[in-house]
Amino acid sequence: MFTIEHEFDSTVITLVDEGDIPIHEDITINAFEECITIEQLEPQTDRVQKITLSPEQLRDLAAALNLPEGVYQLREMRD
């Protein structure tokens, strides 16, 4: 399950682990114009872990999920 909320300066997506035995904390993704942050509570330390991606890194990650093993570089098509 996931939720999507539109804030003033970002879109917030929350991913909820809803398996039979939830083993992971919710993940919160904040999409800003200049970066994307991914946050998850670390229960052992009770601290939020945060990763920051550029829009280009997110684009590459989305492409990588659908490609076979290898090395790739995405380029914009020019006319």
Side-chain angles (χ1 to χ4, degrees):
M1 178 178 97
F2 60 92
T3 66
I4 302 170
E5 301 173 60
H6 297 291
E7 302 291 334
F8 171 72
D9 63 345
S10 71
T11 296
V12 179
I13 300 168
T14 302
L15 307 176
V16 179
D17 184 3
E18 60 177 341
D20 291 337
I21 303 174
I23 57 173
H24 298 290
E25 297 292 326
D26 294 354
I27 294 173
T28 303
I29 302 165
N30 292 287
F32 299 95
E33 185 174 334
E34 67 280 354
C35 69
I36 295 86
T37 62
I38 302 169
E39 299 176 345
Q40 185 177 39
L41 176 68
E42 176 60 52
Q44 288 82 10
T45 62
D46 200 35
R47 298 179 81 171
V48 173
Q49 302 295 318
K50 184 178 189 177
I51 296 172
T52 303
L53 303 171
S54 70
E56 293 78 18
Q57 288 174 310
L58 182 63
R59 177 205 63 201
D60 290 352
L61 174 59
L65 293 173
N66 297 311
L67 293 169
E69 184 176 350
V71 177
Y72 300 89
Q73 181 179 33
L74 296 178
R75 296 181 184 181
E76 291 185 30
M77 293 182 61
R78 296 191 173 125
D79 295 333

